[in-house]
Amino acid sequence: MSATHTLHPDEKVKAGKIGGQMAKIGIPLGLVLIVVAYLLGPKDNGARIFQYGYLTAWLFVWSIAVGCLFFVLIHHLSRARWSTVVRRIAENVALTFPLLGLLGLGFILPMLAGNHNLFYWDYFKAQPHEWQHLDHHMVGKGGWLDPNVFAIRYVIYMLIYSGLAWWFAKQSRAQDESGDAKLSERMRIAAGPGTLVFALTTVFAGFDLGMSLSPKWYSTIYSVNIYGGAMIGAYAFLAILTRSIQKTGRLTHSVTTEHYHDLGKLLFGFIFFWAYTAFSQFMLIWYANIPEEIVFYKYRMFTDWTNWSIAVLLGQWLIPYVLLMSRWTKRVLPVFMILAVWCLVFHWVDLYWNVMPNATWGVTHGRVTGPLSGPLETHHVQAVWQSIVIWLGMTAVFVGFVGTRMKGNLVPVKDPMLGPSLGFENY
Amino acid sequence: MTTAEATEPGHAGHGDDATPREKFRSVTRDIAWVAEMPKPPKAWYVALGFALILLAMFAVSIYHVITTGIGEWGNNNAQGWAWPITNFVFWVGIGHAGTLISAVLYLFRQHWRTSIARSSEAMTIFAVMCAGIFPIIHTGRPWFAWWMIPHPNDMQMWPQFRSPLMWDVFAISTYATTSVLFWFMGMVPDLATFRDRSKSKVKQVIYGILALGWRGSARQWHRYERAYLILAALATPLVLSVHSVVSFDFATSQLAGWHTTIFPPYFVAGAIFSGFAMVMTLLVPARSLFNLKHIITDAHIEAMCKITLATGTMVGCAYSIEFFIAWYSGNEFEQFTFINRALGPYSWAYFIMVSCNLIFPQLFWIRKVRLNPYAVVGICILVNIGMWFERFVIIVSSLSRSALPSSWHYFVPTKWDIMTLAGSFGLFFTMFLLFFRYLPVIAMSEVKMVSPEAHAGPDDHH
């Protein structure tokens, strides 16, 4: 059984300079990498591959922040104790939403400025009216998939995420000063409606930012699958970030193997959940074999993308799922860190696999074809190195953003649940 | 275990000044009293009488349908599944809360589950029994049901493994087996307590056989705990798999309104939703009837209300997503199906579904409602009605307006449809009432294990 502890007298709980250092190194380094990727990469179709790579990388960092925000919400909603010591770190990650919103303008502004190379529906809208009416599937949703309406929705999503993250972080930090237990109660009560708002926002954000890349294709479970992947990314990132903070001499007594063990269990659980949603989507579409749906898998299974599909299956699900099943892989920290990095890498691979196959579209032989159409041999994996560099750059910028939020205490020092969290043990 | 007198629960062992030993003893005494009281309350007899009448009706209706043919139901060429499969999915759903409480909440260290786990597990088994009957009688030739079990045979006939209906056979039989094992194994220490406390020779022999020679040694407890954890880990994926596989029955098809990828998690959430509602429908009156309010407390009911609210809201979100994607797809058949659901001939059923599953459970946001037993039972009954109608809407409204307008048909149930459904409640309630009277309804050892008295520290009451 767990016991109640107090903070170790020698514990370093203040962020100090660590946040500033992360920001100073991460943001410029990341921006340089992104610029280099642009300059050295292919420029055809308005640098479309760069835009798709940028969107993939942005979805990667966005999903980690989404997962960390959910971590905070569910902590309060379920009155969790064990996670109190790592909650502040998750709050700091979620606080990056306003900055991520700005980073996302990297693909929103070109669209508004008339570059129609990212979203096929945007290109479609820019075509002559008579031509558009040949495709009634697209015309019907023209009001929804409109650049201006889309941009407004994007702003709404970011405002909701930012507002939720800001409110919970504000209460939590206020408790550091006052120690008022009522603040915990207030956060617990707000977490219920907060989770509902979060869920609806994530569902529509997923449809817009991922699913609409292939606007004729649809799947009701799509955003649930994206959410599952986001949670894998968030738990892996949280574990790595916490361990990195500990390497600087902070939180060395507060966060123990027990907490990593629980992070590992949740990581394992969400790998299962992600696989469950991915299987539900795949199996039902494969079984029914309806033309407008099956294209999602057809162009991923029988083109250059075959190996990526196998990599997602093995890397995002089977290998970490089997390895994280054991107790020791979650408790021997060097091993757990390797697995966490593995999960982060394959979370990006999964997003890349989701986004990139939609990039092949345009006018071929005088005929306009949308994403996931045309001959199989015209679908290729293109300039992977460029997307990797953008992803590394975006991750560095994101780490820098997290650094800008890392101020004051790294644990909620006066949270009533801190004691049980410090003394938490798996038994 | 020590032999103790069969005494009516009083206040001994309940006060703040009671020693831990007295408190533990009071838990055993109060729970055992449900089975040991010389005569159960009159309400139990009334309920059992009513349940037996329904059960008899079930037997008569099944006999009639089997001997006359399933044409006695309102099913027709367009509505091949209609009520029987609606009832099947409804009962499988009810059976979900048991495994969730016993396995998933166990793995999540939710210790409040201990007071309600046993009766929920029992409910699961009885609900799966009810569920299993419907597809078997729906075949029209239940004497060939054994063909569904793959076995080498002279005719070289094998089940169609590519059919989700066969996956159902495997998923549900696995679920039933695991649930029975989990339920029975968890009961062994408590059955030994019953054996030791029994005065009558017959009871001593019966409980003695069921207790499998349990002596409560450290070695036995160690193995019991290990086995419990392993069974919990095995049962957890089943919570997801059973209703996911049931959802495949619909979602693998190409029928608009059935083929949607969110069905697996949406069905699971709906099943947990209806399962918890049924647990509360049964336990809220039962705890009053058998003086168990201090063990199944308001806090337990509140926690279950919150899970019902959460899962109900998830189901509501899924309804919205389905509607949105039907519009977004640009597929006129999808769009027609959903508009037809809300505004077509079955709009009354759709209205019942939405109000019972989405609107009424929102009252659980209010603490006063969660603490009012009448309100809780009332809302839970509405949820059960709503969840039955959800399956009815999915199955009947989609089939009644399929892609071929010449097949359109408005389904009307016959008296045999109604009798079979009502009768299945007779089987369910009869089994539950007998369980409540003759078996340990609450896991005594588990309740003691998580009580504050079991731990040295003042802060260890998870």
Side-chain angles (χ1 to χ4, degrees):
Chain A
M1 276 289 164
S2 309
T4 298
H5 286 195
T6 51
L7 273 172
H8 193 279
D10 298 333
E11 184 68 306
K12 289 181 186 168
V13 293
K14 295 282 182 194
K17 291 179 181 173
I18 185 176
Q21 286 168 346
M22 284 163 70
K24 270 183 206 163
I25 300 169
I27 296 172
L29 174 69
L31 291 175
V32 167
L33 284 173
I34 293 170
V35 171
V36 167
Y38 176 77
L39 293 175
L40 299 182
K43 301 284 188 308
D44 46 338
N45 287 325
R48 184 185 294 164
I49 295 301
F50 173 82
Q51 291 194 49
Y52 272 73
Y54 189 92
L55 177 65
T56 309
W58 186 87
L59 284 171
F60 176 79
V61 293
W62 162 82
S63 67
I64 291 170
V66 163
C68 285
L69 178 59
F70 185 75
F71 182 88
V72 174
L73 288 166
I74 208 71
H75 168 92
H76 293 296
L77 193 62
S78 62
R79 302 188 198 202
R81 298 177 182 200
W82 74 271
S83 46
T84 309
V85 288
V86 283
R87 197 190 74 217
R88 179 59 54 79
I89 298 171
E91 284 168 3
N92 289 335
V93 177
L95 276 174
T96 57
F97 272 117
L99 296 169
L100 291 181
L102 293 175
L103 207 56
L105 294 179
F107 59 85
I108 295 286
L109 290 180
M111 178 181 73
L112 293 176
N115 180 321
H116 307 300
N117 281 294
L118 180 58
F119 293 104
Y120 172 72
W121 50 261
D122 177 34
Y123 172 82
F124 181 84
K125 286 278 280 190
Q127 301 309 306
H129 190 67
E130 312 77 52
W131 182 82
Q132 284 186 33
H133 274 271
L134 295 174
D135 195 339
H136 69 280
H137 278 110
M138 291 293 292
V139 171
K141 52 188 131 182
W144 180 263
L145 295 178
D146 171 88
N148 295 319
V149 179
F150 184 89
I152 292 168
R153 285 204 302 279
Y154 172 82
V155 172
I156 293 171
Y157 302 147
M158 288 302 135
L159 284 176
I160 291 173
Y161 284 134
S162 304
L164 282 171
W166 170 80
W167 190 85
F168 281 94
K170 188 180 167 226
Q171 307 300 315
S172 177
R173 282 164 200 260
Q175 199 174 44
D176 278 6
E177 303 298 322
S178 66
D180 186 359
K182 279 182 185 164
L183 289 169
S184 294
E185 184 71 3
R186 193 184 292 171
M187 286 189 275
R188 191 180 62 72
I189 291 168
T195 306
L196 183 58
V197 172
F198 166 88
L200 290 172
T201 309
T202 306
V203 162
F204 284 98
F207 287 159
D208 275 347
L209 298 161
M211 199 169 83
S212 81
L213 287 165
S214 177
K216 286 191 194 177
W217 181 80
Y218 52 88
S219 165
T220 42
I221 206 173
Y222 185 83
S223 292
V224 184
N225 181 246
I226 290 291
Y227 156 80
M231 294 313 296
I232 294 174
Y235 284 115
F237 186 78
L238 207 51
I240 295 166
L241 183 61
T242 309
R243 191 71 190 134
S244 307
I245 291 169
Q246 285 192 305
K247 291 283 182 193
T248 68
R250 296 166 175 84
L251 307 184
T252 48
H253 300 93
S254 304
V255 183
T256 66
T257 308
E258 306 297 334
H259 300 105
Y260 287 107
H261 187 180
D262 259 24
L263 285 171
K265 282 192 256 183
L266 284 162
L267 181 59
F268 170 78
F270 273 99
I271 288 170
F272 179 84
F273 180 78
W274 175 88
Y276 167 68
T277 54
F279 175 74
S280 297
Q281 182 170 282
F282 166 73
M283 201 281 286
L284 294 174
I285 288 176
W286 167 79
Y287 199 109
N289 203 16
I290 298 172
E292 61 258 40
E293 285 186 352
I294 198 67
V295 288
F296 185 89
Y297 292 104
K298 180 182 162 190
Y299 287 95
R300 285 169 173 83
M301 287 169 73
F302 305 111
T303 59
D304 261 8
W305 290 98
T306 310
N307 291 336
W308 280 84
S309 303
I310 294 167
V312 170
L313 182 70
L314 298 180
Q316 175 91 330
W317 171 60
L318 188 64
I319 293 170
Y321 183 72
V322 170
L323 292 177
L324 279 166
M325 208 178 281
S326 299
R327 183 181 161 92
W328 69 272
T329 52
K330 300 183 283 275
R331 295 180 70 90
V332 177
L333 293 186
V335 176
F336 183 48
M337 287 304 120
I338 291 169
L339 286 172
V341 171
W342 173 285
C343 289
L344 269 186
V345 170
F346 275 92
H347 174 44
W348 176 80
V349 170
D350 173 43
L351 288 170
Y352 187 80
W353 177 86
N354 258 287
V355 170
M356 271 298 174
N358 300 307
T360 307
W361 55 267
V363 181
T364 45
H365 309 301
R367 189 162 164 262
V368 179
T369 53
L372 308 182
S373 63
L376 290 172
E377 56 275 15
T378 59
H379 289 252
H380 300 292
V381 180
Q382 300 171 65
V384 182
W385 68 266
Q386 188 192 29
S387 294
I388 291 174
V389 175
I390 301 168
W391 167 53
L392 293 173
M394 191 80 80
T395 306
V397 172
F398 179 62
V399 170
F401 283 173
V402 174
T404 62
R405 299 303 184 222
M406 213 139 10
K407 290 169 187 164
N409 295 317
L410 289 169
V411 288
V413 287
K414 291 185 183 171
D415 190 301
M417 288 300 143
L418 183 63
S421 179
L422 289 167
F424 168 71
E425 280 177 64
N426 285 286
Y427 51 88
Chain B
M1 297 287 166
T2 54
T3 306
E5 291 289 319
T7 51
E8 191 172 358
H11 293 291
H14 294 163
D16 290 339
D17 54 340
T19 63
R21 194 180 175 79
E22 285 169 340
K23 286 204 170 180
F24 287 156
R25 198 173 287 166
S26 77
V27 169
T28 307
R29 187 192 57 216
D30 295 352
I31 295 169
W33 175 248
V34 176
E36 287 171 355
M37 62 173 75
K39 276 191 172 181
K42 272 184 188 163
W44 184 84
Y45 285 110
V46 173
L48 185 65
F50 182 65
L52 285 170
I53 291 169
L54 290 177
L55 180 59
M57 198 163 80
F58 195 38
V60 169
S61 60
I62 289 176
Y63 176 78
H64 178 79
V65 165
I66 289 174
T67 53
T68 316
I70 58 169
E72 289 294 273
W73 284 328
N75 303 23
N76 51 56
N77 276 344
Q79 301 283 353
W81 282 10
W83 271 40
I85 303 304
T86 301
N87 298 340
F88 158 70
V89 182
F90 170 76
W91 280 117
V92 176
I94 296 292
H96 254 65
T99 321
L100 183 95
I101 292 168
S102 49
V104 179
L105 296 186
Y106 177 76
L107 293 182
F108 274 93
R109 296 192 291 258
Q110 295 297 306
H111 293 189
W112 61 271
R113 62 176 269 288
T114 51
S115 298
I116 52 166
R118 175 72 49 73
S119 44
S120 311
E121 287 167 25
M123 198 195 73
T124 288
I125 292 159
F126 307 145
V128 172
M129 281 166 62
C130 293
I133 290 171
F134 283 100
I136 289 173
I137 56 173
H138 182 251
T139 59
R141 291 171 178 78
W143 48 92
F144 291 132
W146 59 280
W147 284 8
M148 288 187 284
I149 301 162
H151 60 282
N153 59 82
D154 289 346
M155 296 180 288
Q156 289 292 305
M157 274 177 50
W158 290 89
Q160 174 54 279
F161 290 110
R162 284 173 293 186
S163 163
L165 303 181
M166 273 316 298
W167 307 343
D168 254 357
V169 173
F170 302 126
I172 291 171
S173 50
T174 308
Y175 187 60
T177 311
T178 311
S179 301
V180 169
L181 270 177
F182 207 14
W183 180 62
F184 177 68
M185 201 205 74
M187 262 196 307
V188 166
D190 293 340
L191 286 167
T193 306
F194 272 29
R195 172 198 64 196
D196 296 342
R197 290 173 64 96
S198 292
K199 296 282 180 200
S200 116
K201 195 73 192 166
V202 177
K203 282 186 179 176
Q204 278 174 1
V205 170
I206 294 172
Y207 287 128
I209 292 168
L210 293 174
L212 305 176
W214 180 267
R215 287 287 176 276
S217 67
R219 181 184 292 190
Q220 284 182 340
W221 273 114
H222 175 70
R223 287 180 180 164
Y224 171 88
E225 290 286 341
R226 297 294 295 173
Y228 201 89
L229 181 65
I230 291 167
L231 272 176
L234 286 175
T236 298
L238 290 177
V239 176
L240 285 179
S241 71
V242 179
H243 231 57
S244 298
V245 171
V246 171
S247 82
F248 293 163
D249 294 346
F250 306 96
T252 50
S253 75
Q254 297 180 342
L255 185 71
W258 282 16
H259 176 71
T260 170
T261 52
I262 207 169
F263 256 23
Y266 153 48
F267 265 51
V268 172
I272 295 166
F273 177 53
S274 63
F276 266 92
M278 186 60 95
V279 171
M280 285 193 280
T281 308
L282 296 177
L283 284 190
V284 171
R287 70 178 188 147
S288 300
L289 207 59
F290 291 100
N291 292 322
L292 294 171
K293 275 187 171 176
H294 58 291
I295 298 176
I296 304 170
T297 64
D298 286 347
H300 295 106
I301 305 297
E302 245 204 299
M304 286 195 280
C305 286
K306 287 178 188 171
I307 292 182
T308 309
L309 171 63
T311 46
T313 310
M314 283 182 206
V315 167
C317 285
Y319 294 162
S320 318
I321 293 171
E322 275 191 314
F323 250 90
F324 173 76
I325 292 291
W327 169 78
Y328 178 90
S329 69
N331 179 326
E332 55 267 47
F333 299 104
E334 285 283 336
Q335 290 168 352
F336 169 79
T337 297
F338 282 91
I339 291 168
N340 179 61
R341 269 187 194 175
L343 304 172
Y346 289 104
S347 59
W348 57 273
Y350 185 80
F351 172 75
I352 294 174
M353 174 187 98
V354 170
S355 51
C356 290
N357 293 347
L358 183 58
I359 298 169
F360 290 120
Q362 300 305 316
L363 290 168
F364 283 147
W365 283 102
I366 306 161
R367 188 158 190 266
K368 270 189 181 173
V369 175
R370 299 198 297 263
L371 292 175
N372 182 326
Y374 297 101
V376 168
V377 172
I379 293 169
C380 288
I381 289 172
L382 287 174
V383 167
N384 281 312
I385 293 170
M387 283 308 291
W388 187 87
F389 270 98
E390 181 195 288
R391 281 65 177 248
F392 178 81
V393 165
I394 291 171
I395 294 171
V396 174
S397 81
S398 305
L399 288 174
S400 74
R401 291 289 182 272
S402 58
L404 194 63
S406 61
S407 303
W408 288 8
H409 195 102
Y410 189 82
F411 168 82
V412 179
T414 65
K415 66 178 177 188
W416 297 106
D417 276 303
I418 296 163
M419 280 171 67
T420 329
L421 171 62
S424 64
F425 279 92
L427 174 63
F428 180 73
F429 287 132
T430 304
M431 296 302 290
F432 193 80
L433 286 162
L434 292 175
F435 156 74
F436 225 84
R437 173 69 179 134
Y438 295 107
L439 288 172
V441 290
I442 293 169
M444 300 179 226
S445 52
E446 286 193 32
V447 169
K448 289 177 200 171
M449 219 179 290
V450 299
S451 64
E453 291 76 24
H455 310 291
D459 200 50
D460 286 340
H461 48 281
H462 289 261

